[in-house]
Amino acid sequence: MRWEDLDSEACSVARTLSVVGDRWTLLVLRECFLGRRRFEEFEASLGIARHVLADRLKKLTEAGVLSRIAYQERPRREEYRLTDKGRALNPVLMTLAQWGDTYMAGPEGPPLLRVHNACGHVMQGVLVCSECGEAVGARDITPKPGPGAARPSS
Amino acid sequence: MRWEDLDSEACSVARTLSVVGDRWTLLVLRECFLGRRRFEEFEASLGIARHVLADRLKKLTEAGVLSRIAYQERPRREEYRLTDKGRALNPVLMTLAQWGDTYMAGPEGPPLLRVHNACGHVMQGVLVCSECGEAVGARDITPKPGPGAARPSS
DNA sequence: AAGATGGGTTCCAAAAGGGAACCTGTCAAG
DNA sequence: CTTGACAGGTTCCCTTTTGGAACCCATCTT
């Protein structure tokens, strides 16, 4: 299977990965959530090859996850900012970070904490059911075909 | 930067991606959460090259995300099951799936729905603050260095 | 005129991936 | 007792993607 074909799979995970499932893309997005916006900032903080970075930024922009916005004319310079669609990926980054906090941190503890602005505490994100509000684990849910299941090779 | 060096980055996202950040790994895990366990099942449902699948399963097993368990002797056959560490990745898969449901689904809607066993409703996972219980968005949190920040090249 | 800056593009060698064929135990059938 | 099937890999070859470094280009600054 080719990587670009993933977006036509009848699976939202696969479709999402067709956009962000690349080696570097999620790290670029991590930098975005930390406030990074400029090409050179991404390069310096990630150590990514420049042409790979250029390619990822282009693809993320085409996908509507980032937008290029000029921050000065003459010489024209553009920076990359998260769109709403991009900010909607925050839960993915948070859950990735929390798994790393739990399973990949050294004895000192996690490298980065998250403070909830509203309540002021260091927090963890907890995934709860939108309907009943209870926390949900892997075994608490049952998958069921949805309306978009088995699209007839559209 | 080399891919394997990611686990020594002072960032939990990077460390997590050093385990699951590969093109195929998250799709293998999706299959695990859907109940797939055997080599041939993974191959058939993913269309992945066999040696790549063998490599990913080996790496996930070494990382403690999957475990190999014999389901018959003579001939010895083994299957791959999620460990607790692996099941802890469920929030990552759920948030990926939900982003895809929102932004990548066709007009028909998402291909797969999730039913919460406890309350019986079709649900979305909502990320809430562990301290105050409020839903958290990208702009509601402020990162702050944690105890494991800037490890002195341990 | 000689840098410096920001944001890329080009080139080459090395690594990873796709596809198909081949290998290894074990059992079942003829 | 040879042939086939099954599960789970491994090998081989060729294409695509990376990593790394060099080069390009428009615009200020000295």
Side-chain angles (χ1 to χ4, degrees):
Chain A
M1 187 203 295
R2 313 184 60 77
W3 195 240
E4 304 79 39
D5 302 340
L6 271 184
D7 64 353
S8 55
E9 286 260 304
C11 168
S12 288
V13 174
R15 291 181 191 160
T16 301
L17 292 177
S18 74
V19 177
V20 301
D22 169 85
R23 258 179 158 65
W24 284 110
T25 305
L26 283 165
L27 289 174
V28 170
L29 287 170
R30 172 196 70 177
E31 295 302 315
C32 292
F33 281 106
L34 291 174
R36 233 75 82 172
R37 294 177 176 175
R38 313 246 274 257
F39 191 93
E40 306 262 309
E41 289 181 306
F42 290 118
E43 194 207 354
S45 53
L46 289 172
I48 183 176
R50 296 175 70 92
H51 62 308
V52 177
L53 175 57
D55 179 72
R56 293 306 177 276
L57 289 172
K58 186 152 82 76
K59 283 184 178 153
L60 284 171
T61 303
E62 285 166 3
V65 169
L66 299 179
S67 62
R68 285 177 115 210
I69 297 178
Y71 65 90
Q72 70 174 39
E73 300 289 337
R74 326 192 48 76
R76 184 175 183 84
R77 295 275 184 266
E78 297 185 305
E79 62 184 16
Y80 297 88
R81 294 200 203 181
L82 287 166
T83 61
D84 288 342
K85 186 174 176 181
R87 265 187 295 277
L89 283 165
N90 188 53
V92 174
L93 274 291
M94 272 195 63
T95 51
L96 282 169
Q98 292 187 175
W99 191 86
D101 288 350
T102 305
Y103 293 101
M104 305 291 288
E108 318 87 0
L112 211 67
L113 301 174
R114 286 166 292 282
V115 175
H116 188 203
N117 298 336
C119 73
H121 291 101
V122 171
M123 63 161 293
Q124 299 281 104
V126 178
L127 210 54
V128 303
C129 171
S130 57
E131 305 307 305
C132 70
E134 289 297 302
V136 289
R139 290 174 154 149
D140 301 328
I141 53 179
T142 305
K144 156 183 164 177
R151 299 201 286 180
S153 73
S154 62
Chain B
M1 189 203 295
R2 314 182 62 76
W3 196 240
E4 304 79 37
D5 303 339
L6 271 184
D7 63 353
S8 57
E9 287 259 304
C11 168
S12 289
V13 175
R15 291 181 191 161
T16 302
L17 292 177
S18 74
V19 177
V20 302
D22 169 84
R23 258 179 158 66
W24 285 110
T25 305
L26 284 164
L27 289 174
V28 170
L29 287 169
R30 172 196 71 178
E31 295 302 315
C32 291
F33 280 107
L34 290 175
R36 232 76 81 171
R37 295 177 175 174
R38 312 246 274 257
F39 192 93
E40 306 262 309
E41 289 181 307
F42 290 117
E43 194 207 352
S45 54
L46 290 172
I48 183 176
R50 295 174 70 91
H51 63 306
V52 177
L53 175 57
D55 179 73
R56 294 305 178 277
L57 289 172
K58 186 153 82 76
K59 283 182 177 155
L60 284 172
T61 304
E62 285 166 3
V65 170
L66 300 180
S67 62
R68 283 176 117 210
I69 296 178
Y71 64 90
Q72 70 174 39
E73 300 290 336
R74 326 190 48 75
R76 184 176 184 82
R77 295 275 185 267
E78 297 185 307
E79 61 184 18
Y80 297 88
R81 293 200 202 181
L82 287 167
T83 60
D84 288 344
K85 187 174 175 180
R87 264 188 296 278
L89 284 165
N90 189 52
V92 174
L93 274 292
M94 272 195 62
T95 51
L96 282 169
Q98 292 187 176
W99 191 86
D101 288 350
T102 305
Y103 293 102
M104 304 291 287
E108 319 88 0
L112 211 67
L113 302 174
R114 285 166 292 283
V115 175
H116 188 205
N117 298 336
C119 74
H121 292 101
V122 170
M123 63 162 293
Q124 298 281 104
V126 178
L127 211 54
V128 304
C129 171
S130 56
E131 306 306 306
C132 70
E134 288 298 302
V136 290
R139 288 173 156 149
D140 301 329
I141 52 180
T142 305
K144 156 183 163 177
R151 298 200 287 178
S153 74
S154 63

XYZ file of all heavy atoms in Angstrom, chain A residues 80-123:
338
model
N 4.515 30.189 9.730
C 3.506 29.135 9.712
C 2.773 29.134 11.039
O 3.388 29.068 12.095
C 4.191 27.786 9.499
C 4.890 27.694 8.166
C 6.200 28.116 8.013
C 4.213 27.223 7.050
C 6.835 28.053 6.782
C 4.830 27.151 5.816
C 6.145 27.571 5.690
O 6.766 27.513 4.475
N 1.454 29.201 10.955
C 0.671 29.165 12.176
C -0.370 28.073 12.112
O -0.907 27.767 11.047
C -0.065 30.491 12.375
C 0.874 31.629 12.621
C 0.118 32.757 13.279
N 0.825 34.013 13.043
C 0.414 35.192 13.517
N -0.718 35.252 14.192
N 1.112 36.274 13.283
N -0.682 27.558 13.271
C -1.740 26.558 13.357
C -3.077 27.177 12.988
O -3.406 28.282 13.422
C -1.830 26.018 14.785
C -0.714 25.084 15.238
C -0.760 24.920 16.741
C -0.841 23.742 14.538
N -3.838 26.468 12.201
C -5.225 26.842 11.958
C -6.076 26.195 13.056
O -5.557 25.470 13.906
C -5.695 26.288 10.608
O -5.586 24.868 10.663
C -4.825 26.803 9.479
N -7.379 26.432 13.030
C -8.253 25.741 13.981
C -8.151 24.230 13.791
O -8.110 23.472 14.756
C -9.713 26.181 13.781
C -9.931 27.609 14.272
O -9.086 28.107 15.048
O -10.939 28.223 13.885
N -8.083 23.844 12.534
C -7.928 22.419 12.233
C -6.649 21.875 12.856
O -6.618 20.762 13.367
C -7.903 22.249 10.707
C -7.895 20.820 10.205
C -8.015 20.805 8.673
C -7.907 19.404 8.094
N -8.000 19.403 6.619
N -5.605 22.674 12.811
C -4.346 22.257 13.409
C -4.423 22.231 14.921
O -3.941 21.289 15.562
N -5.043 23.249 15.491
C -5.162 23.269 16.953
C -5.999 22.101 17.455
O -5.822 21.638 18.584
C -5.765 24.593 17.430
C -4.693 25.608 17.836
C -5.309 26.827 18.469
N -6.138 27.544 17.510
C -5.656 28.405 16.622
N -4.375 28.686 16.600
N -6.456 28.995 15.770
N -6.878 21.604 16.591
C -7.700 20.453 16.983
C -6.857 19.191 17.161
O -7.338 18.183 17.678
C -8.795 20.207 15.944
N -5.616 19.249 16.739
C -4.726 18.103 16.952
C -4.109 18.105 18.342
O -3.390 17.181 18.715
C -3.619 18.081 15.891
C -4.057 17.583 14.519
C -3.028 17.938 13.468
C -4.274 16.073 14.544
N -4.405 19.124 19.110
C -3.818 19.204 20.442
C -4.055 17.953 21.295
O -3.125 17.469 21.932
C -4.341 20.449 21.170
C -3.614 20.672 22.481
O -2.384 20.720 22.516
N -4.361 20.787 23.550
N -5.265 17.398 21.296
C -5.454 16.180 22.094
C -4.515 15.050 21.694
O -4.076 14.276 22.539
C -6.913 15.806 21.820
C -7.576 17.092 21.477
C -6.537 17.875 20.720
N -4.204 14.962 20.407
C -3.281 13.916 19.968
C -1.907 14.144 20.585
O -1.301 13.235 21.156
C -3.172 13.902 18.427
C -2.098 12.917 17.984
C -4.512 13.547 17.798
N -1.428 15.372 20.516
C -0.120 15.679 21.085
C -0.129 15.485 22.596
O 0.824 14.965 23.179
C 0.284 17.117 20.742
C 0.978 17.394 19.403
C 2.380 16.799 19.391
C 0.201 16.892 18.213
N -1.214 15.884 23.240
C -1.275 15.739 24.693
C -1.255 14.286 25.119
O -0.554 13.911 26.051
C -2.543 16.401 25.248
C -2.360 17.855 25.572
S -3.706 18.467 26.620
C -3.502 17.478 28.085
N -2.011 13.463 24.431
C -2.037 12.050 24.823
C -0.703 11.377 24.506
O -0.241 10.537 25.279
C -3.195 11.309 24.121
O -3.157 11.562 22.725
C -4.544 11.774 24.669
N -0.073 11.770 23.413
C 1.269 11.248 23.126
C 2.233 11.647 24.234
O 3.014 10.831 24.732
C 1.787 11.792 21.790
C 1.244 11.154 20.517
C 1.655 11.982 19.306
C 1.738 9.723 20.365
N 2.175 12.914 24.625
C 3.086 13.406 25.658
C 2.842 12.682 26.975
O 3.785 12.305 27.678
C 2.914 14.911 25.839
N 1.593 12.449 27.300
C 1.304 11.816 28.579
C 1.743 10.360 28.626
O 2.194 9.870 29.654
C -0.186 11.950 28.893
C -0.533 13.388 29.157
C -1.951 13.594 29.651
O -2.309 14.702 29.982
N -2.741 12.542 29.684
N 1.635 9.693 27.492
C 2.118 8.313 27.461
C 3.626 8.320 27.678
O 4.167 7.507 28.433
C 1.768 7.657 26.122
C 2.000 6.172 26.094
C 1.121 5.211 26.510
C 3.165 5.491 25.621
N 1.674 3.969 26.323
C 2.920 4.098 25.786
C 4.377 5.900 25.081
C 3.853 3.135 25.432
C 5.309 4.940 24.723
C 5.041 3.568 24.893
N 4.296 9.267 27.031
C 5.736 9.398 27.227
C 6.077 9.740 28.666
O 7.035 9.211 29.227
N 5.292 10.614 29.274
C 5.521 10.955 30.681
C 5.475 9.706 31.549
O 6.266 9.523 32.469
C 4.448 11.928 31.188
C 4.609 13.335 30.612
O 5.648 13.604 29.989
O 3.693 14.155 30.782
N 4.513 8.855 31.232
C 4.309 7.669 32.065
C 5.337 6.578 31.795
O 5.867 5.974 32.723
C 2.903 7.095 31.807
O 1.949 8.126 32.035
C 2.617 5.922 32.730
N 5.613 6.332 30.516
C 6.389 5.143 30.192
C 7.815 5.406 29.702
O 8.611 4.487 29.629
C 5.650 4.305 29.140
C 4.374 3.717 29.667
C 3.142 4.286 29.367
C 4.392 2.595 30.495
C 1.966 3.748 29.871
C 3.223 2.051 31.004
C 2.010 2.630 30.688
O 0.857 2.108 31.190
N 8.103 6.625 29.334
C 9.423 6.869 28.764
C 10.261 7.844 29.586
O 11.404 8.115 29.227
C 9.287 7.432 27.342
C 8.461 6.588 26.392
S 9.242 5.025 25.952
C 10.559 5.609 24.861
N 9.703 8.405 30.653
C 10.464 9.372 31.436
C 11.495 8.651 32.293
O 11.318 7.492 32.668
C 9.522 10.181 32.323
N 12.589 9.324 32.579
C 13.589 8.763 33.474
C 13.101 8.875 34.909
O 11.966 9.297 35.150
N 13.939 8.511 35.839
C 13.547 8.554 37.249
C 13.224 9.960 37.750
O 12.482 10.123 38.720
C 14.775 7.997 37.971
C 15.892 8.095 36.992
C 15.283 7.991 35.645
N 13.775 10.967 37.075
C 13.534 12.348 37.526
C 12.079 12.759 37.319
O 11.581 13.639 38.004
C 14.396 13.348 36.757
C 15.833 12.905 36.519
C 15.942 12.081 35.253
O 14.912 11.857 34.582
O 17.067 11.668 34.925
N 11.445 12.148 36.335
C 10.085 12.536 36.024
C 10.025 13.148 34.644
O 11.024 13.207 33.931
N 8.853 13.605 34.255
C 8.662 14.119 32.897
C 9.401 15.436 32.685
O 9.591 16.208 33.625
C 7.152 14.320 32.813
C 6.691 14.438 34.217
C 7.613 13.614 35.040
N 9.813 15.695 31.460
C 10.561 16.901 31.135
C 9.694 18.155 31.083
O 10.221 19.263 31.227
C 11.143 16.598 29.758
C 10.248 15.566 29.180
C 9.724 14.768 30.317
N 8.411 17.958 30.861
C 7.549 19.129 30.691
C 6.229 18.882 31.412
O 5.649 17.817 31.312
C 7.277 19.341 29.195
C 7.074 20.777 28.717
C 8.354 21.577 28.858
C 6.613 20.768 27.266
N 5.784 19.891 32.146
C 4.487 19.786 32.812
C 3.512 20.719 32.123
O 3.915 21.668 31.447
C 4.624 20.183 34.286
C 5.620 19.355 35.103
C 5.767 19.925 36.501
C 5.170 17.896 35.166
N 2.242 20.442 32.277
C 1.212 21.276 31.682
C 0.386 21.913 32.783
O -0.161 21.221 33.642
C 0.320 20.427 30.783
C 0.991 20.025 29.469
C 0.232 18.917 28.769
N 0.325 17.678 29.516
C 1.396 16.896 29.511
N 2.439 17.204 28.779
N 1.419 15.797 30.243
N 0.308 23.214 32.756
C -0.495 23.933 33.743
C -1.816 24.328 33.097
O -1.828 24.880 31.991
C 0.245 25.195 34.234
C -0.651 26.011 35.160
C 1.536 24.811 34.937
N -2.903 24.014 33.785
C -4.216 24.380 33.268
C -4.497 25.835 33.658
O -4.605 26.158 34.840
C -5.292 23.455 33.866
C -6.643 23.647 33.248
N -7.805 23.299 33.884
C -7.009 24.126 32.030
C -8.828 23.583 33.098
N -8.376 24.085 31.968
N -4.602 26.679 32.651
C -4.779 28.106 32.926
C -5.996 28.379 33.806
O -5.966 29.237 34.689
C -4.937 28.877 31.618
C -3.704 28.748 30.738
O -2.598 28.490 31.238
N -3.867 28.911 29.440
N -7.054 27.654 33.565
C -8.305 27.936 34.264
C -8.204 27.672 35.766
O -8.655 28.470 36.584
C -9.441 27.104 33.664
N -7.582 26.555 36.138
C -7.582 26.224 37.563
C -6.210 26.384 38.196
O -6.068 26.298 39.413
C -8.112 24.806 37.789
S -6.981 23.475 37.301
N -5.189 26.583 37.352
C -3.856 26.853 37.892
C -3.058 25.639 38.325
O -1.920 25.767 38.758
N -3.625 24.455 38.183
C -2.905 23.263 38.624
C -2.110 22.621 37.489
O -2.468 22.744 36.322
C -3.889 22.219 39.167
C -4.532 22.612 40.448
N -5.822 23.113 40.500
C -4.080 22.596 41.724
C -6.136 23.372 41.765
N -5.092 23.077 42.528
N -1.059 21.907 37.884
C -0.413 20.998 36.943
C -1.397 19.869 36.694
O -1.940 19.298 37.640
C 0.898 20.429 37.533
C 1.433 19.330 36.645
C 1.916 21.547 37.686
N -1.635 19.592 35.426
C -2.711 18.671 35.091
C -2.272 17.527 34.190
O -1.217 17.553 33.573
C -3.784 19.443 34.337
C -3.233 19.975 33.023
S -4.463 20.436 31.808
C -5.181 18.868 31.390
